Amino acid sequence: MSRHGKPQQRQPLILPDAAPMGGGDGGRGDAATRRRRFVAFLAISVALVASYHHLAPAPASRYHALFVSLGNNDTAAAHLRALTLRPHVAGTEANAVAAEYVRAALSSFSFPTRVTPYSVLLSYPIHRSLSLSVPGRAAAFNFALVQETYPGDPYSEAAAEVIPTYFAYSASGSVAADVVYANYGNTKDYEYLASRGVDVAGKVALVRYGNLHCEDMVRNARAAGAAAAIVYTDAKDFGGAGAKGKRKWFPDARWLPPTGVQVGTLYYGNGDPTTPLWPSCAAGEDCERLSKGELDGSAAMPGIPALPVSARDGEMILKAMGGDAAPTEWQGGEGAPLYRLGPGPAVLNLTYIGNDTLATIENVFAVIEGKEEPDRYVIIGNHRDAWTFGAVDPNSGTAAMLEIAERLSKLEKKGWRPRRTIIVCSWDAEEFALIGSTEWVEDNMDMLASRAIAYLNVDITVFGPGGFRPRATPQLDQLIKEASKMVQDPDDPSQTLYDTMIRHHPPIDRVAGAGTDFAAFLQYIGVPSLDMSYGTISAAVTPLASTNIIALAVEDYPVYHSLYDDYVWMERFGDPLFHRHVALASVWGLIALRLADDEILPLNYVSYASELEKCTKLVEGGCTGCPVSFAPLHKSIDQLRKAANKIHKEKMMLQAENWSLKTRAYTVKVRDINERLMMAERGFINREGLDGRPWYKHMIYASSDQDDWGTKAFPGIVSAIDKANKLNTTESWHLLQHEIYRAARAVSKASAVLDGRLT
C-alpha cells in the first residue's frame, strides 16, 4: 500500500538470463562466474526486501501516534455548541434533530451509518403542584417549581423548551401529609429515625441529594412507609461554600443557583419498562409488552408520587418543620436554619400527574469495517439524550466521540484500516433507564456474545480539573496505563495522563452498577468494559464494599441534570480551552485503536486475579465468625491466577519468536489466544442473575442492592452476608454459602476459558 492508501502493483522479481555456460565443469561455469552470479542475486534480494518495506503499509503504532497529533480543540467545541443549542430529552423533536446531527457528522467522515429505532415507554409530566401549610399560620404557600434564568442568559429563549422539573415514571397521585426529614434517604437514615421514634408511615419524606441516586432514595422512602417523597438539592452540597448572602453561583461561579433542580428517573430497572429482559421493537411492529397493570404492580416502579425541588424550596420546608433537632451531620451549611426531624407541623400538599407513553427513540451507528478480522467488534459509545441542554452530561462525550471519528477518517485517508471492526454508537434514552443501549444489546445478544471484544464508554468527557479518571474491568488496566502514557495531561503539560492518574488511589476504579451504557454489555453478556472522564471523582468505601463506590464530586459538577448544564457552564468552568476534551478523546481513541489493531489482543488477566484476591479478603473480613467457608472461592481464584499466567506466557513467547513467515500454525495460534482472551469475561456471567435481580448477571461486579450506581465486587455474597447478619437463621447462612459457591463457579468458568482446555 502507498502512504495514501492506493495499492501499488508489486512487480515480480525476474532474474536476468544466465550467461552461456561452457568449460569442463558440467555447465556450472568457473568459480569467478559463480561468485558474480551470487553477488548479483544477493544485491537483487536486498533490493527486494527494501522495496517490500517501502511498499508495505505503515506499522499500526505510527498511525496511533498520528491519531494523537490530530486532536482539535475547535472541532470539539463546535460539536458541543451545535449539540446543546436546545434541550433534547429522549422522544422529543429536538432530540431527533440531535440524532440527525450525529448521523450526518459520521456520514461526512465517509463511514457507513444507520439508525435503529425502538418504540419504548417514556415518561413526561402533565401536571405538578406543591404547597406548604402550617396550622395556625397564614394561607398555604404555593411553590413555583421553576428554574430561573439569569439576566443576559443566551439560552433563555431555548430554556422555555425545557420540560418542567419532574421525576420520570413517578406514580401519579395527590398526597397531603406531615413532613419528615430523612437526610440523604439511605436505609441507615430511616433506621435512625425509627430509633428516635419518628414514624415515617403515611408522611411525606423530605430527603436531600447526596450519595444515592434519586430512584434509590424514593425506593427507600416507600419501603419506610412514606406516602410521597420530595428530593431537594441542599446548598451545603451544591450551592458553594461561604456564609449565606455571600455565595456566588452560576453564571458567576460553578455552583447551582438557589432555584436549580436536579431531575432524574425513578425506574428501578434498565431498558424499556414494557419489555424487561427481552428486546423492544420499532413502532408498528409487534412485540410482547407488559400491560399497564403489570407495570403498576412492578417492584421496579416507584409506587409513590415524588418531586425534585430546589435548595430554596427545600429550605423553606425545613424552616416550617418541628420536632427534635436533627443530628449535626444531618444539618445544613453555614447560615442554614436548624434542621428538625418532624413530623410536622408543616404539611405538604403534593400532586403529580404523569404521562407514561410509547415513544420512538433512535440509536445512531457508524461502522469502520476491519480488514483482517471484520467479525470482531471494538465498540465505543456515548448517549446523546439529555434532561436539559446536556453540555457536560452527555454531550461532552458526544463531542469527543465525533472528534475521534473524524480523526479515524483522516487516518483512513493516510492508508490506515483497522484489523478488526470498530463500531461507533450514539445511544438514545439513557437518562430514562439506559434504554437505547439495553434494547440494542438485548436485540443482538448472541452475535455480540461471540464477536464483541470490548465496550468503551464515555458518558461525561469532562466536568472540570482534577485529572484522568478511568474505571474498567481489570483485564483492561494495563492497556489503560499504556495508552495514558502517550497523552499529555491538558492541565500540566510536563505530565502525561498516566502521571496524574497514578496519583489517585486507586488509579483505576471498577466499572459496574447501572451508572451508564456499559451496564448491558457487562451485566448481560460479559464484555470487558470501561468508562472514563476528566475531573474530580469522589470515592467512598463502605465496610462490605470490595471496591470503591464512585460518585461525581459535586464541587466540580453541581449543575448536574439541571437547567444550567449548558455550553456557557462548560466554556467558563468545565473546559474553557476544550483541551481536556481533546486529551480524553485521545486516550479513548488510542485504547480503541490498540484493541482494533494489535495482532494479539492487549488484555491481561493477571491483574484480574490479583484484584479478586484482594476483594475476597475484604469481603471475608466483613464476615468474621460466619459459619461458612470461603475456601471454594479462594480455590477458584487460584485457578484463575494460574490460567492468567499461562496465557500471558503464551502471548510473550508468541511475540518473541521469529515468525517472519506468517504460517498457518502462527495464525491459528494467534486466533486461539485472542478467542480465549475475548471470551474469558463471559465466564463470570450467570444466566439466572443475582438473587432477586435477574437483570444483573455478572457474579463479580454489579451494583449494590441498596445503591443502583454503587459498585460492589461479589455482590451476591455481600447481599447474602447482610441478610444473614440480620436474620441469623440456618437458612440465611445456607444461602450465603450457596452464593459463595455461585461466585466460585463463575471464576472457575472464566479460568477454564483462559486455560483453553476442556475438563
Side-chain angles (χ1 to χ4, degrees):
M1 300 285 284
S2 73
R3 294 180 59 195
H4 300 287
K6 296 179 180 178
Q8 297 183 359
Q9 295 296 323
R10 187 174 302 151
Q11 298 299 320
L13 177 62
I14 302 177
L15 294 176
D17 292 338
M21 297 180 183
D25 58 356
R28 293 176 296 173
D30 58 24
T33 301
R34 290 199 301 272
R35 282 195 298 271
R36 286 195 300 272
R37 289 176 177 172
F38 176 76
V39 169
F41 175 78
L42 185 62
I44 293 171
S45 299
V46 170
L48 175 62
V49 172
S51 173
Y52 173 83
H53 285 292
H54 175 71
L55 295 175
S61 59
R62 175 185 157 193
Y63 288 118
H64 298 178
L66 178 59
F67 173 86
V68 176
S69 72
L70 292 173
N72 190 312
N73 303 29
D74 293 336
T75 299
H79 285 310
L80 187 64
R81 185 185 291 276
L83 287 161
T84 57
L85 291 174
R86 299 168 63 190
H88 45 287
V89 174
T92 64
E93 178 269 337
N95 199 42
V97 171
E100 174 54 24
Y101 177 88
V102 171
R103 189 208 62 77
L106 293 171
S107 182
S108 72
F109 306 144
S110 300
F111 297 141
T113 61
R114 70 175 185 273
V115 175
T116 302
Y118 293 99
S119 179
V120 301
L121 190 76
L122 300 183
S123 177
Y124 308 101
I126 295 176
H127 172 77
R128 314 155 303 138
S129 66
L130 182 68
S131 63
L132 171 67
S133 60
V134 179
R137 296 189 188 178
F141 177 83
N142 295 309
F143 294 97
L145 303 179
V146 172
Q147 301 184 84
E148 297 174 357
T149 58
Y150 56 89
D153 183 355
Y155 294 99
S156 59
E157 184 175 341
E161 297 182 39
V162 172
I163 290 179
T165 53
Y166 80 117
F167 283 136
Y169 306 108
S170 169
S172 294
S174 295
V175 173
D178 291 348
V179 187
V180 170
Y181 172 53
N183 194 26
Y184 291 114
N186 58 48
T187 54
K188 291 185 178 179
D189 292 331
Y190 287 104
E191 289 171 2
Y192 175 79
L193 288 173
S195 74
R196 293 289 300 272
V198 178
D199 186 10
V200 181
K203 310 298 191 300
V204 176
L206 176 67
V207 296
R208 57 182 176 177
Y209 275 109
N211 57 2
L212 285 182
H213 195 242
C214 56
E215 69 226 40
D216 294 293
M217 289 188 278
V218 174
R219 187 166 172 255
N220 291 341
R222 178 189 181 186
I230 298 292
V231 184
Y232 78 102
T233 47
D234 198 306
K236 173 185 176 180
D237 298 315
F238 296 86
K244 194 173 182 181
K246 295 183 179 179
R247 292 182 181 136
K248 292 184 178 181
W249 50 76
F250 184 71
D252 299 315
R254 66 174 59 248
W255 300 102
L256 185 68
T259 64
V261 177
Q262 183 183 140
V263 302
T265 182
L266 299 185
Y267 178 59
Y268 197 74
N270 297 309
D272 177 9
T274 69
T275 61
L277 303 177
W278 67 88
S280 185
C281 55
E285 297 179 1
D286 182 39
C287 55
E288 181 185 6
R289 296 186 187 274
L290 296 183
S291 67
K292 184 180 184 304
E294 290 171 318
L295 277 173
D296 290 343
S298 168
M301 288 298 186
I304 59 174
L307 278 177
V309 301
S310 66
R312 186 173 68 184
D313 294 347
E315 184 171 302
M316 180 174 286
I317 297 169
L318 286 159
K319 284 180 178 179
M321 291 180 64
D324 294 338
T328 302
E329 60 270 23
W330 288 36
Q331 294 296 328
E334 186 178 354
L338 178 67
Y339 291 3
R340 295 184 178 276
L341 300 177
V347 174
L348 282 177
N349 192 323
L350 177 157
T351 296
Y352 176 79
I353 300 174
N355 177 29
D356 294 352
T357 183
L358 290 177
T360 294
I361 65 170
E362 297 176 314
N363 292 332
V364 180
F365 302 94
V367 179
I368 310 171
E369 187 172 352
K371 185 178 180 180
E372 285 87 4
E373 299 179 71
D375 60 338
R376 293 292 175 263
Y377 306 150
V378 176
I379 306 169
I380 68 173
N382 155 268
H383 77 91
R384 178 186 66 256
D385 65 298
W387 285 121
T388 61
F389 294 98
V392 178
D393 179 15
N395 297 131
S396 65
T398 315
M401 189 170 72
L402 293 177
E403 159 81 1
I404 289 172
E406 184 168 357
R407 292 195 221 178
L408 296 179
S409 175
K410 292 177 179 178
L411 290 189
E412 278 199 328
K413 293 174 182 176
K414 297 288 185 180
W416 168 82
R417 280 278 305 279
R419 178 184 181 90
R420 305 176 185 94
T421 296
I422 297 175
I423 304 176
V424 180
C425 312
S426 174
W427 307 117
D428 204 350
E430 187 267 4
E431 297 291 8
F432 283 83
L434 316 184
I435 294 179
S437 58
T438 299
E439 297 311 309
W440 190 75
V441 167
E442 290 174 345
D443 214 5
N444 298 278
M445 187 181 305
D446 293 333
M447 186 173 292
L448 291 171
S450 64
R451 298 186 177 189
I453 290 169
Y455 176 69
L456 314 176
N457 187 79
V458 169
D459 192 349
I460 296 171
T461 295
V462 57
F463 49 91
F468 174 51
R469 296 311 307 266
R471 47 183 178 154
T473 45
Q475 74 275 75
L476 291 167
D477 286 1
Q478 187 61 34
L479 174 58
I480 292 170
K481 292 175 182 177
E482 292 171 2
S484 64
K485 290 178 181 179
M486 295 181 63
V487 181
Q488 189 180 63
D489 189 283
D491 291 345
D492 186 353
S494 67
Q495 304 281 304
T496 66
L497 289 180
Y498 172 83
D499 297 322
T500 55
M501 174 188 76
I502 208 71
R503 290 200 292 264
H504 298 105
H505 183 74
I508 302 173
D509 291 299
R510 293 300 150 228
V511 60
T516 188
D517 290 304
F518 56 73
F521 290 91
L522 180 63
Q523 293 298 330
Y524 241 61
I525 301 176
V527 176
S529 300
L530 67 76
D531 183 63
M532 61 182 79
S533 58
Y534 194 97
T536 299
I537 302 286
S538 66
V541 180
T542 58
L544 286 182
S546 40
T547 188
N548 285 40
I549 295 176
I550 308 306
L552 296 180
V554 294
E555 64 267 20
D556 272 341
Y557 183 27
V559 298
Y560 175 70
H561 283 187
S562 76
L563 172 70
Y564 311 102
D565 183 2
D566 63 16
Y567 187 86
V568 175
W569 193 93
M570 176 62 78
E571 193 175 39
R572 292 188 182 183
F573 307 111
D575 191 10
L577 300 177
F578 283 85
H579 59 326
R580 295 169 188 150
H581 278 79
V582 171
L584 202 286
S586 293
V587 70
W588 188 11
L590 277 175
I591 292 169
L593 283 169
R594 287 284 309 278
L595 289 164
D597 287 341
D598 282 16
E599 188 170 35
I600 300 178
L601 291 174
L603 302 176
N604 188 334
Y605 280 84
V606 176
S607 61
Y608 216 133
S610 300
E611 179 82 6
L612 294 190
E613 287 175 351
K614 296 175 186 176
C615 293
T616 301
K617 290 178 181 177
L618 187 56
V619 172
E620 194 172 7
C623 198
T624 304
C626 295
V628 295
S629 172
F630 282 83
L633 188 54
H634 286 292
K635 180 180 178 182
S636 66
I637 293 172
D638 186 57
Q639 293 172 342
L640 180 65
R641 178 182 55 80
K642 292 177 180 177
N645 284 324
K646 173 187 173 183
I647 196 168
H648 184 67
K649 290 177 182 177
E650 289 179 47
K651 283 175 59 178
M652 296 301 101
M653 290 177 60
L654 192 63
Q655 291 169 334
E657 293 177 12
N658 180 18
W659 294 88
S660 55
L661 296 176
K662 299 299 178 70
T663 63
R664 174 170 174 77
Y666 174 87
T667 302
V668 169
K669 184 61 177 176
V670 168
R671 183 76 170 189
D672 171 66
I673 289 177
N674 284 342
E675 290 288 298
R676 289 151 59 192
L677 290 169
M678 180 182 76
M679 298 299 293
E681 186 76 29
R682 316 286 200 267
F684 297 128
I685 296 297
N686 181 291
R687 285 178 293 179
E688 287 74 33
L690 296 178
D691 183 32
R693 295 191 294 160
W695 194 88
Y696 292 94
K697 301 182 184 300
H698 203 284
M699 294 290 103
I700 309 303
Y701 293 118
S703 65
S704 159
D705 56 3
Q706 298 296 321
D707 177 9
D708 204 30
W709 275 12
T711 296
K712 287 193 187 301
F714 302 119
I717 296 176
V718 172
S719 179
I721 289 174
D722 183 60
K723 291 177 182 177
N725 282 331
K726 290 178 180 178
L727 299 175
N728 194 24
T729 62
T730 300
E731 183 181 359
S732 64
W733 293 117
H734 179 75
L735 177 62
L736 171 56
Q737 188 66 69
H738 173 64
E739 289 296 335
I740 294 171
Y741 275 116
R742 289 183 82 203
R745 287 193 291 271
V747 176
S748 294
K749 283 198 302 175
S751 304
V753 175
L754 273 185
D755 191 61
R757 295 182 181 179
L758 296 172
T759 57

